[in-house]
């Protein structure tokens, strides 16, 4: 069964405010996967979440030529913002950890860097399907589109 996931690139104040007015969650828990570019904005961005997360998993977008906080350092700075705060070495490990703790009614919110949001999108919408169907939101494999159908679950 597929877990609900939301990818968000609210990396500046105006986008964070817009996310705050639109993010609602009626499920059990909110699990946040977070990574950001730069070296000081991380905790500020996390503390601006409109809902208190039940868990935060910090990671680092895989980039060349841009500074990022190491996931462990970001996790230290995020302590106290959620009952559970962990660090994962890369986006894929962070998503796998979030999925391992998520139940079907939980929401996994990936936020911080637009790079991170793009790097984890493949878990819900495979890049091959995006290209073949020419849409950012391809139909599932059982819709007769010929998509690969591999999803995080």
């Amino acid at each position: 069964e597929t877990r609900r996931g939301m990818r968000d690139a609210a990396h500046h104040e105006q986008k964070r405010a817009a996310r705050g007015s639109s993010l609602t969650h009626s499920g059990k828990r909110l699990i946040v996967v977070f990574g950001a570019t730069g070296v000081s904005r991380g905790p500020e961005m996390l503390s601006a979440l409109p809902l208190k997360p039940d868990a935060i998993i910090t990671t680092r977008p895989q980039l060349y030529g841009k500074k990022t906080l190491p996931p462990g350092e970001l996790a230290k700075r995020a302590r106290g913002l959620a009952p559970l705060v962990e660090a994962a070495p890369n986006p894929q490990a962070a998503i796998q950890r979030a999925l391992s703790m998520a139940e079907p009614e939980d929401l996994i919110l990936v936020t911080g860097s637009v790079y991170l949001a793009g790097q984890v999108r493949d878990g819900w919408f495979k890049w091959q399907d995006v290209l073949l169907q020419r849409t950012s939101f391809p139909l599932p494999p059982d819709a007769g589109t010929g998509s690969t159908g591999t999803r995080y679950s």
Side-chain angles (χ1 to χ4, degrees), residues 65-85:
K66 287 194 177 243
K67 292 183 179 184
T68 59
L69 272 176
E73 178 64 27
L74 189 52
K76 284 181 195 173
R77 294 183 185 191
R79 300 263 184 253
L81 297 177
L84 176 67
V85 178

Side-chain angles (χ1 to χ4, degrees), residues 49-107:
L49 287 171
L51 303 173
K52 182 171 172 73
D54 296 284
I56 297 171
I57 303 164
T58 60
T59 190
R60 161 189 296 200
Q62 297 172 330
L63 301 172
Y64 298 101
K66 287 194 177 243
K67 292 183 179 184
T68 59
L69 272 176
E73 178 64 27
L74 189 52
K76 284 181 195 173
R77 294 183 185 191
R79 300 263 184 253
L81 297 177
L84 176 67
V85 178
E86 297 181 2
N90 59 59
Q92 293 73 27
I95 286 295
Q96 288 301 328
R97 177 63 181 127
L99 289 165
S100 74
M101 67 173 66
E103 296 179 16
E105 56 277 352
D106 295 340
L107 174 65

Side-chain angles (χ1 to χ4, degrees), residues 118-135:
Q119 289 169 9
V120 302
R121 181 181 75 171
D122 205 37
W124 285 272
F125 302 106
K126 303 305 283 178
W127 67 266
Q128 296 94 332
D129 296 343
V130 170
L131 289 176
L132 288 173
Q133 295 181 36
R134 297 180 180 172
T135 177

Side-chain angles (χ1 to χ4, degrees), residues 5-57:
M6 177 180 190
R7 288 150 320 279
D8 170 55
H11 58 281
H12 59 72
E13 191 173 334
Q14 293 87 355
K15 289 188 183 225
R16 287 193 300 268
R19 177 195 54 213
S21 65
S22 65
L23 181 64
T24 60
H25 176 53
S26 59
K28 278 185 162 182
R29 297 179 304 158
L30 174 62
I31 300 167
V32 173
V33 173
F34 181 81
T37 59
V39 293
S40 63
R41 295 185 359 225
E44 168 194 321
M45 293 170 75
L46 276 169
S47 63
L49 287 171
L51 303 173
K52 182 171 172 73
D54 296 284
I56 297 171
I57 303 164

